[in-house]
Amino acid sequence: RGAERRRTRRHSTTRANGERRRRTATATMTTTAFVEGLSKAFGLIVLSEIGDKTFFIAALMAMKRRRVDVFLGAWSALFAMTALSACAGTMSARALSPVVTKRAATGLFFAFGARGVRDACARGDDDDDELKEVEAELAGRQRNAKKKATTSWAVFAEAFAVTFLAEWGDRSQIATVGLAAQSDVAGVTLGGALGHAVCTGVAVIGGRQLADRAANAERVVTGIGGCLFLLFGVHALLSG
């Protein structure tokens, strides 16, 4: 009986140790996926949004409105868009087979990467068409507005609406969908939110002067962003 009890205890100990190892491995894989999704989304957003339309919107609106209100409105819109895109990506991954999801996401990364590199090569150093377009759009909104937004809530709502509409269908939004389909959705959402917070904060603090510099450096930023998309595509192609 004593030998049988010892064998039973050894069997229970071995089983408990195996269970602990499995839990540790699962936790490690989850943490790795979270960090990978966060870092990818953060880098993608920072390199996609510097010099983008939403960047110019925040910079120009902050010149005539309270910076805090503009930041909160613009960032809230970008956070909402990031969360929606991440949810769409993870829902697509569940609805479609892993093979289809992987091919679609890989194709998106390569397409955006090639487009970014092409635009960087074709764009001149002094090309600031997007900045002028945003200026004209905001000026038109002010002319058509019956009442100028002065309260904090009105400025917040205006910044939210303008930014949300500008971000809809943007390259970074679609890329976030593809990234969330392959990576940890919480990591992608947090990384995207942090990236947008950095870009929007820089735009609001820098104002028009920084917007001019960002427009002049847009060629470089676009090229780097395109290369990052291509790297994501290669990683998605080579990963299991």
Side-chain angles (χ1 to χ4, degrees), residues 31-231:
T31 302
T32 301
F34 176 84
V35 173
E36 179 182 333
L38 187 150
S39 57
K40 280 185 174 182
F42 182 84
L44 182 151
I45 293 301
V46 169
L47 290 176
S48 297
E49 294 298 315
I50 293 293
D52 192 64
K53 189 174 184 179
T54 54
F55 182 89
F56 294 141
I57 288 173
L60 295 178
M61 287 192 66
M63 294 169 54
K64 300 179 180 180
R65 307 285 193 275
R66 283 189 65 217
R67 292 177 177 177
V68 174
D69 299 333
V70 173
F71 173 82
L72 291 176
W75 181 77
S76 297
L78 294 170
F79 175 77
M81 188 65 72
T82 300
L84 289 174
S85 302
C87 290
T90 191
M91 289 175 62
S92 300
R94 293 177 180 177
L96 303 175
S97 68
V99 175
V100 174
T101 301
K102 178 180 178 180
R103 289 178 179 176
T106 303
L108 281 175
F109 291 143
F110 277 119
F112 286 137
R115 179 183 174 185
V117 173
R118 184 200 65 185
D119 291 347
C121 294
R123 180 179 285 124
D125 291 329
D126 58 346
D127 188 12
D128 58 351
D129 289 342
E130 194 158 28
L131 176 58
K132 295 178 180 178
E133 179 185 341
V134 172
E135 284 185 302
E137 181 178 335
L138 292 177
R141 289 181 61 89
Q142 291 179 0
R143 286 194 301 268
N144 295 330
K146 296 180 180 179
K147 184 178 180 181
K148 183 179 178 180
T150 54
T151 66
S152 295
W153 170 248
V155 174
F156 174 92
E158 182 183 8
F160 184 97
V162 175
T163 304
F164 191 89
L165 293 175
E167 184 69 8
W168 186 265
D170 187 72
R171 177 178 57 182
S172 60
Q173 182 209 4
I174 301 173
T176 301
V177 174
L179 193 59
Q182 286 198 312
S183 303
D184 182 83
V185 63
V188 171
T189 303
L190 180 59
L194 291 175
H196 281 303
V198 170
C199 293
T200 306
V202 169
V204 167
I205 294 173
R208 174 55 192 258
Q209 184 177 5
L210 185 60
D212 288 332
R213 293 185 179 181
N216 293 331
E218 189 177 358
R219 180 180 183 181
V220 177
V221 176
T222 300
I224 296 175
C227 292
L228 183 65
F229 277 115
L230 292 177
L231 288 177

